Amino acid sequence: MMKRIWVIVANILIIISMVVFVFIYSSFEANNIQKTQIEHFENTTVTMERVTENYLEGEQRICDVWAHYINSQDMTMDDAISFIRVSHVLKSASAHIIYKDDTLAGKSTKPRKGTTDDYHVSYKDFDFLKDLSWIHEIGTSINISRAYTDSISGDQSIAFCNFVTLHEGGTDKEAILLRVLPEAELREKCLFHLEEFKTAELSIIDVNGNYIIKGQSFKNSSFFEFFKSYNKLEPVAQQELFNKIISSTGSFSMFNSKDEKCIVAYTPFDEAGGWTLISLIPIKNLNLSTQNWLLVGVITTGLFVLFIFDLLVMLSLNKKLKLTAKEAESASRAKTDFLSTMSHDIRTPMNAIIGLTTIAEKNINDQKSVSESLRKINSASNHLLTLINDILDISKVESGKLNFTPQSFSIVETVENLMNLSQPMIKDKNINFSFHISRMDKEHLYADQLRLNQIYINILSNAIKYTEPGGSVTVDMKEEDSLKEGSVKLTYRVSDTGIGMSKEYMEHLYQPFSRQTDSRVNKIQGTGLGLAITKQMVDLMKGTIECESEQGKGTTFTVTLDIPVSEHQRGEMKLEEMDVLLVDDDEVLLETGSDTLKSLGLKVEEASSGLEALGMIKHRESTGKNYDIVIIDLKMPDIDGIETIRRIREEIKTNVPILLISAYSYSDVEEDAKKVGVNGFLTKPLFRSTLYDKLSEILGKQTESDEAENDYSDLEGSNILIAEDNEINWEIISTLLSMYGINTERAENGRVCVEKLKEAPENKYLLVFMDIQMPEMNGLEATRTIRKFEKHWAKDIPIVAMTADAFSENVAECLNAGMNAHIAKPIDIKLVMKVIQKIKEESKL
Amino acid sequence: MKKLFNILTSIGAVAMLVSCGNSGGDTTEGFKPTLDPETKCSIKVIGDYSNFEALEEEFDRFNEYYPNVDLAYEKIDGYNNNLATVLEREDKPNIFFSYTWMNGNDKYKSVFDHMEELSDSNLKLNLDSIRPSLLTRDKDNKVFMVPVFSRTYGTLVNNDLFKKEGLSIPKTWNDLLSVCDSFIEKGYTSPLMGYSLKTSSSLMNTVAYPAFLAALKDNPEAFAKANNLEQSAGVYMRESLEKVKQLIDSKRINLEECDKISDNYTKVIMRFFEGDVPMMICAGDTVSGTKKRESQSEAYTKSPFTYTYHPIPLTDKGGYFVDSPSVEFSVNKNCNDLDMTNEFMRFLVTKEELSNMASLKRLVTPTKEMTFDPVYAPFNEVSSDHTILPEVLGVKDGLSIQIRVASYRVGRKQLTIDEAIEQYGSFEDK
């Protein structure tokens, strides 16, 4: 804050300094210009003095000539007046001759205005003829009076004077000849004719400041009075100024009657008379350049604008910097929090793993204790794996590096996978679970299956996790038309009767590491990343995720995604017309299942309980129109599915094929079911293809029981080449596979793998498990090399990536390199076996 | 002052009734131009003032409405003698100074011939704004001259000097005498001073004129005789002349000192500003020059003092307030641009403008609402019976000349009081 103030202060000081400099410089320049103009005005005034003096000299000469002539001719007053009348040519001028005595009276060449015969004139009341010293000898100077009111014409006039001698009655009589001219006429001659000084005016003053000739702008009867009237000056300074005016050439400034500042230039005029010519011009009328002021204005404004601009930019940058710093701080804090949380969340299962391993070691002879420890270690390991996956996912999401690898997949497989993964938890918590589908016409879609699985599993596993034992979890999956061409709108809704969420928590539901503060929640394992990842992935897939929750009552998550439909869809699925009885207490399943079966071309009857089903089958039996197939739900309220089947087989003695359906795992009831005569198992939800396949199978092989899921006996003796550089990993996989009677051979890196395959006799290996990151030659390169084999059986050998590079792009990379499948480490042996079995089956075809 | 105002208002009301219809005054406040504001013309005012800054300021104010009108004031030499000729000249003046004393004087007959009737209702001059006692009307109740200032008679008093000497400003005749004596005792050579070289504006007239009018104002018969210059009226001058003589003979007015004042205006003021004159006898016209000259006096600038203008306490009840017009304006009906000239007169003859001009000139405004400059404050205290209205009385110039010359000559010991009384009616002011 302080630094910013100093920067602003420094800027302001610089601006002020520059403006002051420019101002001083401009003032200096303006002063120079003004000085030059004033000097020019002074010089012009001096020139005007010469012009005026020449003009007045000319007028004086006329008076001189008249005086000479009168003096030379011994004229009387009347003679002289007559002579002048004759020689007078100017209409506006007149001449007066007055006796140089106390009367100062005489005659005029013209009669008094308004009369025809009054030629009498008297100058007795005029002060300027009381002292005649200013009238010099003829031809020696300009003898001009001050401006006065001519009593004959009434005009303000001036008079050029000379002494004359009249000859009256034989004696000489001294007289004064006055050539009288209107002052206005003279003033006109004394105008400045320069354009730049057009408004300037001239006056001529005597030593006392009295006007001899008075310009229009000059006020009062004396210039000095004029000055005093409108200007304040100390008497001494004032007198000094007046003395200067009447004795030298120069200029000064003063205010006129309009309070305008004026320049007054003065110069001696007719030194013999002691007069001064003064010129006056308002300073505003001097042609002073204003360019410098413009410069000052422009520079000041420019600097100010620049300053404001810089200030705004600076403030904006500061704001951004602050924001960035805040974000950095927040990021740093987030990182610290993240690491702290990670540390805690990783250490917790690790603690369990290490601790339980120690316990198992100590109780190595207690099989039960070891088994329990290993079960717990397994659980902790799985949690740790989930956590690591989630962390990696969220980091990829947040760094914007999460890519999708779309591929064609079956939504049926996705749902099966979902069911398989959730079953153990459902079973553990004894949760009432139901999974409904409706209108699932398009079973093959095109998307990143792994990510879609992840979304669905996250939501479902959360629902199961946060539902108390005995609670309910319901999944609804619905396919609708999408606005996007070639896509379907897949809605996935999971409702639970779990603990629910508070409104406060829901506000930051999707933030990483957010978990509701609840004693019940704390008991539940979770990374706090699942929903954050889910939300990010839904967003990236341009879908929506909505949540409705009420604390203590439960939560419903709804994910809606537009998913492109795969080009590959199964052909028409139709069965021969048969009567099917569908038994379930779940009305929704009855409705949707019935629809699906009908779509396969079957006739469907529904029973909502085992007893009802028994009655219906008995009825059919009695009428001889047996059902062709009976599909019975495992869990029903009165008598369950197995009991119903037992009673069907025992009481009705019918061989009708019966399929047992359930949303739960069959592992616990499989044996009992088979004993009572179940012909096959179906896992809910009932997809069309699932039903079609199963019914086709049942109808074709009625007596064959469903293939056991975990029967890998045909894989015994198979040879698998495993490219793995890590000793422990090699040991794990080879040991696990050996448990199923599978022989393994190790290649320490890609190059060894390629060589072994090259040298191996045909079909020596069923497949290759290929690690990716290996020395000398990695798995991808090795795969590409193998696929390039020429005329070699191994060119097409199934290669399955077995790697810790578990991201979808890694999967895509593997497939692109020519591999057939991808298994992520740590490995799930069940999954591995499934893959092997699938490959084995495919190889049979 | 309230009493005075009541009298003036009453007189004004009567005059308004008499002149009803003649003065078509525009009584609305504020001047509203009636001509084209862009009109270009020249207006010249002539008079005998050497300087008339107050009028020039009015020119500037008028230019705010009519910026292209060129107004100028011109001083005419030998005004009274040359006025008639000047009015005839080619460049005819538009407005000229006129005086009450010109009324009835044959010499100014042609001047009156040039005068426009200012009470013409078409001109819309606000004559109602002027105190009726100052308006001169002819027998037909017409007005040809409008007073722009009013004049009175009195003495400037250096208040600080009285304070310094521990004396009170005199309120009665006896006070005046004793205060003068006290000043003389304290070394002041002339406690009372004034211009004494000529009859015009002489201190003798300033003392005698109010007293002479006071002697006549309540005696119509005597006043008529005095106005008709009948010798028998001379006796009414006695008291006023005795007062002049008493002051001069007792050296309360030292004529030798007074004679050193060479003119009746600037020198009077500058002498007063020297700061050693307790009382300077002068007319109100002279007081008008004091403000401007304060800064021109070195002595006053160095040692400024407070001063006021008082009626001279000629009686036991104090002095007189002679309320008479000073300068009056007449319009030359033969001038060019008569419309604009009348527009200027309409602008000027308002309470605001006349008061403004009087304030600048430090003279008494002729308007009904008298707002005195603080210097004139003592005149507020003059009682109504000591207020004299020469225009209401109908004082003629001849009467004024008689007392002016008589008092001057008695003061200068050119005549005795008796001789002056004897010669009443025969005095001429040359």
Side-chain angles (χ1 to χ4, degrees):
Chain A
M1 186 65 187
M2 279 305 288
K3 277 182 184 173
R4 193 167 66 190
I5 288 171
W6 281 115
V7 169
I8 292 170
V9 168
N11 270 285
I12 290 172
L13 285 176
I14 290 167
I15 290 173
I16 290 172
S17 311
M18 289 182 73
V19 171
V20 167
F21 171 76
V22 174
F23 178 78
I24 291 170
Y25 179 76
S26 295
S27 300
F28 178 73
E29 282 294 296
N31 281 340
N32 276 347
I33 293 168
Q34 186 171 323
K35 209 171 162 185
T36 310
Q37 276 293 97
I38 290 169
E39 274 175 18
H40 181 38
F41 184 59
E42 268 180 35
N43 293 336
T44 310
T45 302
V46 172
T47 308
M48 283 304 296
E49 183 271 327
R50 284 176 198 139
V51 172
T52 308
E53 193 169 339
N54 287 342
Y55 170 74
L56 295 179
E57 264 178 8
E59 294 295 335
Q60 179 68 46
R61 290 291 81 82
I62 296 170
C63 189
D64 290 350
V65 170
W66 289 349
H68 261 300
Y69 189 77
I70 291 167
N71 286 342
S72 65
Q73 297 299 318
D74 288 340
M75 288 184 176
T76 63
M77 171 77 81
D78 290 337
D79 292 340
I81 289 295
S82 299
F83 155 70
I84 294 168
R85 269 190 204 125
V86 172
S87 54
H88 216 296
V89 288
L90 280 177
K91 197 180 170 187
S92 56
S94 66
H96 303 163
I97 300 174
I98 55 170
Y99 291 114
K100 193 178 158 187
D101 56 19
D102 289 344
T103 64
L104 290 174
K107 284 187 176 175
S108 166
T109 54
K110 288 184 175 175
R112 188 179 307 279
K113 203 84 184 173
T115 67
T116 52
D117 55 357
D118 184 3
Y119 293 96
H120 177 75
V121 64
S122 169
Y123 281 82
K124 195 181 176 186
D125 293 334
F126 292 96
D127 53 354
F128 64 88
L129 285 181
K130 281 181 182 145
D131 174 11
L132 298 173
S133 60
W134 54 275
I135 303 175
H136 299 94
E137 285 301 311
I138 300 169
T140 55
S141 69
I142 303 167
N143 303 321
I144 190 170
S145 73
R146 69 163 174 82
Y148 68 99
T149 310
D150 174 17
S151 60
I152 296 298
S153 67
D155 292 328
Q156 284 303 103
S157 308
I158 60 164
F160 296 91
C161 304
N162 270 318
F163 292 123
V164 290
T165 306
L166 299 173
H167 198 75
E168 302 272 358
T171 57
D172 288 343
K173 208 163 183 184
E174 292 300 313
I176 305 164
L177 169 63
L178 299 101
R179 183 162 183 268
V180 183
L181 288 172
E183 191 203 10
E185 202 166 287
L186 252 159
R187 211 185 306 134
E188 270 184 29
K189 307 277 184 195
C190 298
L191 283 181
F192 278 88
H193 295 289
L194 285 176
E195 189 62 34
E196 57 196 304
F197 300 133
K198 217 168 182 181
T199 54
E201 285 190 39
L202 285 175
S203 286
I204 297 172
I205 59 170
D206 66 13
V207 288
N208 297 315
N210 296 321
Y211 297 111
I212 306 298
I213 296 172
K214 183 183 174 188
Q216 195 81 12
S217 307
F218 291 82
K219 304 294 178 188
N220 302 65
S221 57
S222 149
F223 174 73
F224 296 163
E225 280 295 312
F226 174 36
F227 179 86
K228 288 176 194 171
S229 296
Y230 304 103
N231 298 272
K232 295 255 182 277
L233 201 61
E234 289 291 313
V236 177
Q238 195 172 263
Q239 196 51 52
E240 279 175 10
L241 175 68
F242 295 162
N243 291 340
K244 213 165 138 189
I245 291 170
I246 58 171
S247 60
S248 60
T249 296
S251 63
F252 64 98
S253 64
M254 64 172 274
F255 290 95
N256 66 7
S257 61
K258 292 178 179 172
D259 208 27
E260 295 169 328
K261 199 170 186 185
C262 301
I263 295 294
V264 177
Y266 51 89
T267 188
F269 179 86
D270 182 39
E271 285 180 18
W275 298 332
T276 301
L277 184 130
I278 50 175
S279 56
L280 177 145
I281 187 168
I283 212 159
K284 66 177 185 188
N285 296 343
L286 275 177
N287 187 24
L288 296 176
S289 170
T290 56
Q291 279 175 349
N292 286 336
W293 290 109
L294 189 67
L295 187 70
V296 173
V298 168
I299 288 175
T300 308
T301 311
L303 285 172
F304 186 70
V305 168
L306 191 66
F307 170 67
I308 295 294
F309 178 75
D310 284 354
L311 197 67
L312 290 175
V313 169
M314 199 166 76
L315 286 174
S316 166
L317 281 177
N318 277 347
K319 205 174 173 183
K320 280 181 185 168
L321 281 173
K322 262 187 183 175
L323 207 65
T324 310
K326 207 173 174 181
E327 280 171 359
E329 195 182 325
S330 173
S332 170
R333 195 166 50 239
K335 190 181 165 189
T336 308
D337 290 349
F338 178 82
L339 288 173
S340 169
T341 310
M342 278 305 89
S343 174
H344 171 265
D345 285 17
I346 291 171
R347 280 170 190 277
T348 304
M350 281 302 292
N351 180 53
I353 292 165
I354 294 166
L356 287 166
T357 308
T358 310
I359 291 167
E361 277 176 348
K362 286 196 172 177
N363 301 310
I364 195 73
N365 295 322
D366 184 346
Q367 194 179 348
K368 196 177 172 187
S369 171
V370 170
S371 177
E372 182 60 22
S373 293
L374 290 174
R375 190 186 63 75
K376 287 178 180 171
I377 287 168
N378 187 46
S379 168
S381 302
N382 285 333
H383 173 67
L384 191 59
L385 180 63
T386 310
L387 178 66
I388 289 165
N389 283 335
D390 284 355
I391 290 164
L392 294 173
D393 278 344
I394 198 79
S395 76
K396 283 184 86 74
V397 166
E398 292 191 341
S399 63
K401 288 178 181 170
L402 185 73
N403 297 319
F404 292 102
T405 311
Q407 59 187 72
S408 188
F409 71 97
S410 166
I411 191 69
V412 180
E413 281 181 19
T414 303
V415 171
E416 278 175 359
N417 187 37
L418 200 57
M419 293 296 289
N420 290 337
L421 288 170
S422 57
Q423 281 308 323
M425 282 175 75
I426 290 169
K427 188 182 166 189
D428 285 353
K429 296 182 81 172
N430 191 27
I431 281 170
N432 293 319
F433 180 70
S434 54
F435 198 127
H436 303 134
I437 57 165
S438 64
R439 287 194 59 203
M440 296 300 291
D441 293 336
K442 307 290 181 190
E443 292 181 357
H444 289 268
L445 304 174
Y446 187 77
D448 189 326
Q449 188 185 9
L450 280 176
R451 295 302 175 192
L452 190 67
N453 275 344
Q454 212 173 336
I455 292 169
Y456 289 169
I457 287 167
N458 263 331
I459 292 173
L460 181 56
S461 62
N462 272 348
I464 297 166
K465 264 196 278 185
Y466 297 108
T467 300
E468 301 282 346
S472 299
V473 174
T474 306
V475 181
D476 290 290
M477 186 177 273
K478 181 167 69 172
E479 204 178 271
E480 291 172 295
D481 293 336
S482 168
L483 294 173
K484 283 187 184 173
E485 201 178 339
S487 297
V488 290
K489 188 159 92 178
L490 199 61
T491 305
Y492 176 74
R493 183 193 301 271
V494 179
S495 303
D496 65 58
T497 57
I499 58 172
M501 290 177 280
S502 67
K503 283 183 181 173
E504 294 75 29
Y505 174 69
M506 284 177 73
E507 284 174 11
H508 48 89
L509 178 65
Y510 300 113
Q511 286 177 8
F513 302 110
S514 61
R515 294 183 73 193
Q516 190 164 212
T517 312
D518 189 308
S519 60
R520 291 170 298 174
V521 174
N522 294 340
K523 291 176 193 166
I524 298 163
Q525 278 190 337
T527 61
L529 293 169
L531 271 179
I533 296 166
T534 303
K535 173 79 167 82
Q536 295 282 355
M537 286 197 291
V538 169
D539 287 346
L540 287 168
M541 292 171 88
K542 296 189 168 56
T544 59
I545 180 165
E546 288 169 12
C547 176
E548 293 168 43
S549 185
E550 198 173 335
Q551 208 158 16
K553 290 193 174 176
T555 305
T556 300
F557 274 97
T558 308
V559 175
T560 309
L561 296 165
D562 287 304
I563 303 177
V565 175
S566 171
E567 288 178 5
H568 167 70
Q569 296 292 336
R570 285 188 66 159
E572 193 181 0
M573 288 181 280
K574 285 282 178 186
L575 293 166
E576 289 176 19
E577 191 179 296
M578 291 184 289
D579 287 336
V580 177
L581 177 64
L582 182 62
V583 188
D584 201 321
D585 61 320
D586 185 340
E587 286 180 13
V588 178
L589 186 124
L590 279 180
E591 190 184 335
T592 55
S594 189
D595 285 349
T596 311
L597 288 165
K598 283 173 186 170
S599 71
L600 292 170
L602 304 175
K603 285 185 176 177
V604 185
E605 287 187 9
E606 297 167 9
S608 60
S609 68
L611 293 174
E612 189 185 353
L614 274 171
M616 289 172 76
I617 295 167
K618 276 179 186 171
H619 176 70
R620 281 286 189 125
E621 184 74 24
S622 62
T623 58
K625 289 182 181 175
N626 288 331
Y627 291 109
D628 297 305
I629 293 176
V630 177
I631 301 171
I632 300 176
D633 182 35
L634 175 65
K635 282 195 174 179
M636 287 187 292
D638 45 7
I639 54 171
D640 65 13
I642 292 175
E643 177 61 15
T644 306
I645 295 166
R646 190 186 63 76
R647 289 177 64 174
I648 291 169
R649 296 295 187 208
E650 284 182 9
E651 293 173 14
I652 306 170
K653 312 283 187 196
T654 176
N655 288 326
V656 63
I658 301 174
L659 287 175
L660 191 62
I661 56 170
S662 176
Y664 306 96
S665 169
Y666 293 105
S667 55
D668 294 343
V669 297
E670 191 177 351
E671 203 173 325
D672 292 342
K674 282 181 178 174
K675 279 181 185 170
V676 297
V678 168
N679 299 88
F681 298 92
L682 270 176
T683 303
K684 288 182 185 176
L686 301 176
F687 284 97
R688 202 166 164 231
S689 61
T690 316
L691 274 170
Y692 178 78
D693 290 345
K694 202 67 188 178
L695 289 175
S696 299
E697 184 189 324
I698 293 292
L699 292 170
K701 285 174 73 179
Q702 283 187 24
T703 55
E704 282 182 20
S705 61
D706 196 33
E707 194 175 41
E709 278 187 3
N710 300 329
D711 186 3
Y712 302 115
S713 55
D714 61 334
L715 296 178
E716 282 178 21
S718 300
N719 292 315
I720 294 175
L721 179 63
I722 297 169
E724 175 60 75
D725 62 323
N726 186 286
E727 193 72 33
I728 294 171
N729 285 347
W730 151 249
E731 193 181 334
I732 291 169
I733 187 64
S734 64
T735 306
L736 288 172
L737 289 175
S738 68
M739 286 160 64
Y740 293 90
I742 296 170
N743 303 316
T744 53
E745 197 173 322
R746 183 186 177 198
E748 286 80 3
N749 56 49
R751 188 183 54 73
V752 174
C753 179
V754 169
E755 283 169 4
K756 284 202 171 198
L757 277 175
K758 259 186 186 173
E759 291 163 5
E762 191 169 347
N763 295 327
K764 181 183 180 183
Y765 304 114
L766 176 63
L767 59 92
V768 178
F769 280 126
M770 183 78 80
D771 187 17
I772 301 300
Q773 293 187 24
M774 292 183 290
E776 291 193 43
M777 182 185 279
N778 66 31
L780 296 172
E781 204 179 331
T783 305
R784 286 190 202 105
T785 310
I786 294 161
R787 296 297 181 226
K788 284 177 187 171
F789 282 177
E790 286 182 7
K791 297 176 183 176
H792 195 281
W793 68 273
K795 183 186 176 189
D796 300 316
I797 190 169
I799 303 173
V800 177
M802 188 172 277
T803 173
D805 297 335
F807 295 127
S808 60
E809 58 267 30
N810 301 130
V811 177
E813 207 172 21
C814 291
L815 298 176
N816 289 339
M819 295 189 190
N820 300 74
H822 179 279
I823 293 172
K825 288 177 184 170
I827 54 167
D828 178 347
I829 191 62
K830 288 179 185 172
L831 183 65
V832 172
M833 291 309 294
K834 272 189 180 174
V835 170
I836 298 170
Q837 191 170 46
K838 195 177 174 187
I839 288 170
K840 175 93 176 174
E841 282 173 5
E842 283 172 358
S843 67
K844 287 178 186 171
L845 298 172
Chain B
M1 189 61 222
K2 277 184 181 173
K3 288 177 185 173
L4 171 63
F5 181 71
N6 288 338
I7 291 168
L8 294 172
T9 314
S10 305
I11 295 167
V14 173
M16 275 170 70
L17 284 172
V18 173
S19 62
C20 186
N22 287 335
S23 57
D26 181 6
T27 53
T28 53
E29 289 295 317
F31 172 72
K32 292 189 179 82
T34 57
L35 301 178
D36 178 6
E38 299 303 315
T39 307
K40 274 188 180 181
C41 64
S42 298
I43 292 176
K44 183 159 281 179
V45 181
I46 60 165
D48 57 356
Y49 280 3
S50 294
N51 312 307
F52 205 164
E53 291 100 335
L55 179 64
E56 279 163 352
E57 179 156 326
E58 289 302 315
F59 291 164
D60 291 340
R61 288 160 72 93
F62 186 67
N63 277 150
E64 288 173 17
Y65 298 101
Y66 295 99
N68 300 322
V69 177
D70 184 19
L71 299 116
Y73 169 75
E74 181 180 311
K75 192 233 171 178
I76 299 297
D77 294 294
Y79 186 78
N80 297 345
N81 292 330
N82 291 328
L83 177 59
T85 308
V86 173
L87 290 174
E88 290 292 340
R89 75 185 189 192
E90 295 297 320
D91 175 23
K92 289 183 171 51
N94 302 68
I95 295 166
F96 56 97
F97 282 20
S98 52
Y99 297 95
T100 313
W101 49 259
M102 289 176 174
N103 234 329
N105 189 330
D106 287 346
K107 185 179 170 186
Y108 297 102
K109 190 176 177 306
S110 66
V111 171
F112 275 87
D113 289 343
H114 282 84
M115 288 180 181
E116 184 183 29
E117 186 208 332
L118 301 176
S119 50
D120 183 343
S121 59
N122 294 324
L123 300 184
K124 295 183 178 172
L125 295 194
N126 189 9
L127 296 180
D128 288 344
S129 61
I130 293 169
R131 295 197 292 280
S133 59
L134 299 180
L135 273 178
T136 307
R137 295 175 181 274
D138 70 0
K139 59 183 181 344
D140 298 321
N141 210 29
K142 289 179 180 175
V143 175
F144 293 91
M145 299 181 277
V146 177
V148 290
F149 299 129
S150 98
R151 167 202 287 140
T152 190
Y153 301 84
T155 176
L156 280 166
V157 172
N158 183 335
N159 297 319
D160 289 3
L161 212 52
F162 273 82
K163 208 178 277 177
K164 180 189 161 195
E165 302 300 348
L167 297 170
S168 300
I169 296 165
K171 302 278 187 193
T172 65
W173 175 248
N174 288 332
D175 281 352
L176 177 67
L177 297 179
S178 69
V179 159
C180 287
D181 293 342
S182 299
F183 273 114
I184 290 167
E185 279 174 22
K186 290 174 188 290
Y188 291 83
T189 49
S190 182
L192 280 162
M193 287 187 78
Y195 177 70
S196 58
L197 291 178
K198 284 186 180 175
T199 54
S200 176
S201 303
S202 73
L203 67 91
M204 298 81 162
N205 184 54
T206 306
V207 173
Y209 182 64
F212 181 44
L213 290 185
L216 295 171
K217 78 180 178 84
D218 296 324
N219 189 341
E221 192 183 336
F223 179 77
K225 285 180 180 174
N227 233 2
N228 292 331
L229 305 183
E230 291 179 22
Q231 187 278 326
S232 59
V235 70
Y236 296 102
M237 295 196 296
R238 180 175 297 280
E239 195 180 339
S240 57
L241 295 177
E242 279 175 347
K243 301 236 183 246
V244 172
K245 185 172 168 31
Q246 187 180 355
L247 291 173
I248 292 172
D249 287 353
S250 62
K251 297 283 184 182
R252 290 176 178 106
I253 297 174
N254 187 328
L255 273 191
E256 285 175 15
E257 282 299 312
C258 293
D259 285 350
K260 292 175 185 172
I261 300 172
S262 56
D263 76 47
N264 61 10
Y265 190 72
T266 304
K267 300 290 182 188
V268 171
I269 298 166
M270 297 308 272
R271 180 67 187 88
F272 179 63
F273 281 157
E274 288 297 310
D276 60 346
V277 181
M279 289 171 279
M280 180 65 83
I281 296 166
C282 60
D285 291 357
T286 307
V287 179
S288 73
T290 52
K291 200 174 188 175
K292 179 176 147 187
R293 284 165 180 79
E294 285 175 357
S295 61
Q296 294 174 18
S297 165
E298 203 172 337
Y300 185 84
T301 311
K302 276 183 186 168
S303 309
F305 54 86
T306 60
Y307 58 93
T308 42
Y309 187 57
H310 295 249
I312 303 167
L314 296 170
T315 72
D316 291 341
K317 288 182 179 178
Y320 296 103
F321 172 36
V322 180
D323 188 20
S324 58
S326 172
V327 173
E328 304 197 46
F329 275 8
S330 292
V331 171
N332 181 1
K333 64 185 178 188
N334 300 319
C335 70
N336 295 325
D337 306 307
L338 185 60
D339 284 349
M340 187 56 80
T341 306
N342 288 327
E343 185 77 346
F344 176 69
M345 286 299 286
R346 198 169 66 78
F347 164 80
L348 188 68
V349 183
T350 57
K351 183 190 78 182
E352 290 77 19
E353 302 309 326
L354 288 174
S355 298
N356 180 56
M357 202 157 68
S359 164
L360 288 170
K361 188 74 179 156
R362 194 173 256 178
L363 273 170
V364 181
T365 177
T367 59
K368 280 178 183 171
E369 288 179 33
M370 292 170 71
T371 46
F372 283 122
D373 185 282
V375 169
Y376 287 97
F379 279 84
N380 280 327
E381 295 165 13
V382 177
S383 60
S384 60
D385 60 332
H386 273 223
T387 300
I388 301 167
L389 308 171
E391 309 313 306
V392 175
L393 289 172
V395 174
K396 290 183 179 174
D397 191 40
L399 184 152
S400 303
I401 292 170
Q402 299 311 303
I403 187 67
R404 183 158 71 231
V405 176
S407 61
Y408 176 77
R409 294 182 69 178
V410 167
R412 296 213 71 93
K413 302 190 190 309
Q414 292 169 1
L415 290 175
T416 64
I417 292 175
D418 289 336
E419 285 169 344
I421 290 169
E422 192 65 29
Q423 291 178 28
Y424 186 84
S426 63
F427 293 119
E428 286 184 10
D429 192 9
K430 291 183 180 176

